[in-house]
Amino acid sequence: MQKGVCLWVVLVTSFCFIFVDSRGENGRLLIDGKSRIAETDSDFVCATMDWWPPEKCDYGTCSWDHSSLLNVDLKNKIFKNAIRAFSSLKIRLGGTLQDKVIYQTKNHQEPCNPFLKNTSELFGFTKGCLSLSRWDDLNRFFQDTRAVVTFGLNALIGKTVLADGSAFGAWDSTNAEALMRYTVKKNYTIYGWELGNELSGNGIGARISASQYAHDTLTLYKMVHRVYKGIEPKPLIIAPGGFFDPKWFTKFLNKTSKTLNAVSHHIYSLGSGMDGNLTARILDPSYLDDAGKIFKQLESTINASSSSASGWVSEAGGAYNSGQNLVTNAFVFSFWYLDQLGMSSIYDTKTYCRQSLIGGNYGLLNTTTFEPNPDYYSALLWHRLMGKKVLSTRFLGTKKIRAYVHCAKESGVTVLLMNLGNSTTVNVKLSVNNIWRLHKHRPHTHRQHKTMHSDSESKDTKMGVIRKRTRAEYHLTAKDGNLHSKVMMLNGKELRVNSYGEIPSLRPLYVNSLKPISVHPHSIVFAHIPHFALYACNS
């Protein structure tokens, strides 16, 4: 590696006081500034909304309440503001029960009933119905909150599911086409249509062969081009929304090379929601590394195929069966979640959908109060600070540090550092092998004009100059140091919505860019360095 330019990061005492632990250790983050290694969508961060009714229970706990697409309160102020804060949050509508949903149509004669619990039925519930009035309400809600929506279609209609779970027969797209035509007629925007949920490979409850799935995807492709004739851009074709199986995915990709836009898969790498070792796994760097291998495998599978489809994670909850209270909805889960975002982006994943936006024990929002859980703020900071272009990095130091770097959304770069350790502060220096340009900022006011400014204007000018020579840091910690707390602290201040249901401002600390970044035990730091411009970010 070429000799680099190091940035030493310290906090400016004009803005804050954070004391570096004298017993801390040093580390160095090497950044390749020559070229990017991958690129995500601009709206990489995505969240899901599911179909589960209140009767969905796991291990004796019913954690979904009224968070379903059929019954969630679309008038809740916090809910609306939480989505609006992203200024375009990608939302995937779908989940297990999507393959049991019937869409009401103008000619629908049968009553439009909700899901009912029935353990003898596939997935433990009867078929449910999406009424046109509810579809209207949902779309008005998404338009109002500026959400970017993908919709998961029922892929089992027309198929016979045998006792061993294998599903035979072609997909009957009649009902889906009726919903799609109604959607176009009402001028509702759907970014992508996804076919099926967890029916690939061995499947969950049911499975479809790769050949048949490819044939059904072709049916969806033709339907989209027929219904959206004369409309551009057309929605994406997304599939299969299941767990990655190399052989199955290879066959499927090669048979859908001209019809598929995004190949989607699901991530539940931590185990079941009742597992007592979830926290230990989240804080184990070796486990996090192993969990990231699937992204590399999928990227290799795509590149070796004839397909031009991009990789998506269309559902990721970490721990299956609704997650675990005080773990997957608590501060500690941000280590797993942000590491997943960082790891998946390295391997060219374009979109990463968190299960869920609301519902279960892994929601970004509290199921009953709609208050943001810690991961909501982690997601929002990533969305605002981490740009599309992904840079190659290597950390020299303790294995307890996880590090990712992207070109920033606006200018410069954003560094994400996470300290999985519980006792030692790590002071991180940055080294870059190729700096394209490091801006030198000077005061905008000319010396001869100084007397024309008031005292307040002079102070503002000085503050502006200081900030141009600094970086913005966002230190995330758990309230009272409790990893299982549902309250996120930003730079020592508790994050809470106000009485109007407004999402709090995420204000950074402004830090001298010539000193190391201090990453305290069990903490997460986003550092935006606006004046740090690399060739990789400007090419």
Side-chain angles (χ1 to χ4, degrees):
M1 181 170 288
Q2 298 178 21
K3 185 176 181 181
V5 176
C6 301
L7 297 182
W8 302 72
V9 186
V10 74
L11 296 177
V12 179
T13 55
S14 302
F15 297 98
C16 62
F17 295 91
I18 290 185
F19 299 98
V20 176
D21 187 349
S22 61
R23 297 168 297 175
E25 60 182 79
N26 297 325
R28 185 180 297 277
L29 181 61
L30 308 179
I31 305 170
D32 184 353
K34 290 182 179 179
S35 61
R36 59 185 179 273
I37 58 172
E39 190 167 319
T40 70
D41 286 346
S42 58
D43 49 4
F44 171 68
V45 171
C46 165
T48 69
M49 290 179 66
D50 215 311
W51 296 97
W52 290 120
E55 295 77 22
K56 159 67 171 170
C57 305
D58 303 279
Y59 319 118
T61 300
C62 307
S63 59
W64 288 86
D65 202 3
H66 286 71
S67 61
S68 164
L69 285 163
L70 297 180
N71 57 33
V72 69
D73 182 6
L74 301 177
K75 297 181 180 179
N76 185 278
K77 290 182 179 180
I78 299 176
F79 193 26
K80 288 184 176 182
N81 289 332
I83 298 173
R84 286 174 182 150
F86 283 82
S87 297
S88 66
L89 176 64
K90 191 178 285 178
I91 301 179
R92 180 248 189 180
L93 312 183
T96 300
L97 293 184
Q98 80 178 53
D99 291 310
K100 302 205 73 170
V101 178
I102 302 300
Y103 319 117
Q104 186 183 48
T105 66
K106 294 287 186 179
N107 301 319
H108 194 81
Q109 300 299 320
E110 299 177 17
C112 196
N113 294 322
F115 295 104
L116 297 176
K117 192 167 185 177
N118 186 333
T119 55
S120 64
E121 291 268 357
L122 181 64
F123 308 130
F125 286 87
T126 63
K127 293 178 180 178
C129 177
L130 172 63
S131 69
L132 291 179
S133 61
R134 183 61 177 181
W135 186 232
D136 291 336
D137 291 341
L138 285 166
N139 278 281
R140 281 191 288 267
F141 174 78
F142 295 134
Q143 288 175 345
D144 182 43
T145 56
R146 301 183 294 279
V148 176
V149 176
T150 70
F151 187 88
L153 294 166
N154 182 343
L156 289 180
I157 295 181
K159 298 184 184 297
T160 300
V161 181
L162 303 183
D164 67 353
S166 56
F168 289 94
W171 177 48
D172 182 350
S173 61
T174 306
N175 191 226
E177 182 163 347
L179 176 68
M180 197 177 289
R181 288 192 178 280
Y182 179 82
T183 300
V184 171
K185 182 180 179 181
K186 298 286 285 189
N187 202 30
Y188 299 147
T189 300
I190 300 297
Y191 182 71
W193 296 95
E194 185 177 25
L195 184 61
N197 183 85
E198 296 177 358
L199 302 173
S200 59
N202 292 326
I204 301 296
R207 66 181 184 276
I208 302 172
S209 70
S211 296
Q212 183 59 59
Y213 221 120
H215 184 273
D216 296 340
T217 303
L218 175 60
T219 300
L220 174 59
Y221 173 85
K222 290 179 178 178
M223 182 171 71
V224 166
H225 281 257
R226 183 169 61 248
V227 175
Y228 285 86
K229 185 177 181 180
I231 300 174
E232 296 294 343
K234 289 179 173 53
L236 300 183
I237 307 297
I238 309 167
F243 294 101
F244 179 66
D245 178 307
K247 291 183 179 179
W248 193 99
F249 271 62
T250 296
K251 189 173 184 179
F252 176 69
L253 282 166
N254 285 327
K255 287 180 175 291
T256 55
S257 60
K258 296 182 180 180
T259 58
L260 189 68
N261 299 118
V263 57
S264 55
H265 68 116
H266 293 180
I267 299 284
Y268 286 90
S269 58
L270 292 171
S272 77
M274 68 178 300
D275 196 310
N277 296 314
L278 293 183
T279 298
R281 289 180 186 146
I282 291 167
L283 298 176
D284 181 350
S286 296
Y287 197 91
L288 295 180
D289 287 340
D290 287 340
K293 290 178 180 178
I294 190 172
F295 303 118
K296 183 177 182 179
Q297 288 181 305
L298 179 60
E299 182 187 42
S300 297
T301 301
I302 294 173
N303 291 340
S305 74
S306 58
S307 176
S308 59
S310 57
W312 278 39
V313 174
S314 61
E315 185 179 314
Y320 59 83
N321 288 341
S322 305
Q324 184 178 121
N325 188 35
L326 300 180
V327 176
T328 55
N329 54 10
F331 175 82
V332 70
F333 205 52
S334 275
F335 290 113
W336 179 85
Y337 178 41
L338 288 173
D339 196 71
Q340 281 276 299
L341 294 181
M343 190 78 73
S344 63
S345 64
I346 286 174
Y347 293 107
D348 219 27
T349 299
K350 301 303 183 185
T351 292
Y352 189 105
C353 299
R354 167 63 180 268
Q355 174 81 342
S356 62
L357 175 58
I358 187 167
N361 284 317
Y362 37 36
L364 296 180
L365 305 176
N366 183 285
T367 303
T368 54
T369 67
F370 294 85
E371 282 269 357
N373 285 322
D375 281 1
Y376 170 84
Y377 295 110
S378 295
L380 186 57
L381 281 170
W382 178 290
H383 178 77
R384 290 180 176 179
L385 298 174
M386 304 288 272
K388 299 189 300 180
K389 298 176 182 178
V390 186
L391 303 181
S392 177
T393 62
R394 186 158 64 98
F395 184 75
L396 304 180
T398 172
K399 292 182 179 179
K400 293 293 186 179
I401 290 290
R402 311 293 288 182
Y404 300 97
V405 181
H406 285 217
C407 300
K409 272 273 173 97
E410 295 181 356
S411 62
V413 300
T414 300
V415 177
L416 169 61
L417 296 166
M418 295 179 281
N419 189 345
L420 305 179
N422 63 0
S423 60
T424 305
T425 293
V426 181
N427 303 309
V428 180
K429 304 170 186 177
L430 308 183
S431 292
V432 183
N433 72 338
N434 187 299
I435 291 188
W436 183 59
R437 180 175 58 174
L438 185 60
H439 295 299
K440 293 182 179 180
H441 293 281
R442 295 175 180 168
H444 291 293
T445 53
H446 296 290
R447 184 171 298 175
Q448 60 267 36
H449 292 163
K450 186 174 181 180
T451 56
M452 297 175 62
H453 297 280
S454 66
D455 289 341
S456 62
E457 287 175 318
S458 297
K459 290 178 181 178
D460 288 343
T461 300
K462 290 178 182 179
M463 184 68 73
V465 173
I466 291 173
R467 291 191 177 184
K468 287 173 183 176
R469 293 172 179 170
T470 62
R471 66 172 176 268
E473 287 188 358
Y474 304 78
H475 292 254
L476 303 177
T477 53
K479 184 178 182 180
D480 300 324
N482 178 10
L483 291 179
H484 301 287
S485 172
K486 294 184 181 181
V487 179
M488 176 80 87
M489 308 292 286
L490 171 60
N491 298 327
K493 295 183 179 180
E494 189 173 314
L495 292 173
R496 292 278 193 186
V497 298
N498 63 21
S499 58
Y500 299 101
E502 295 171 336
I503 302 301
S505 297
L506 304 181
R507 301 184 185 280
L509 301 173
Y510 290 97
V511 178
N512 189 321
S513 291
L514 301 177
K515 302 293 181 178
I517 302 173
S518 294
V519 191
H520 300 287
H522 284 168
S523 76
I524 298 165
V525 181
F526 284 92
H528 176 215
I529 312 171
H531 54 271
F532 196 40
L534 305 179
Y535 183 82
C537 299
N538 292 275
S539 60

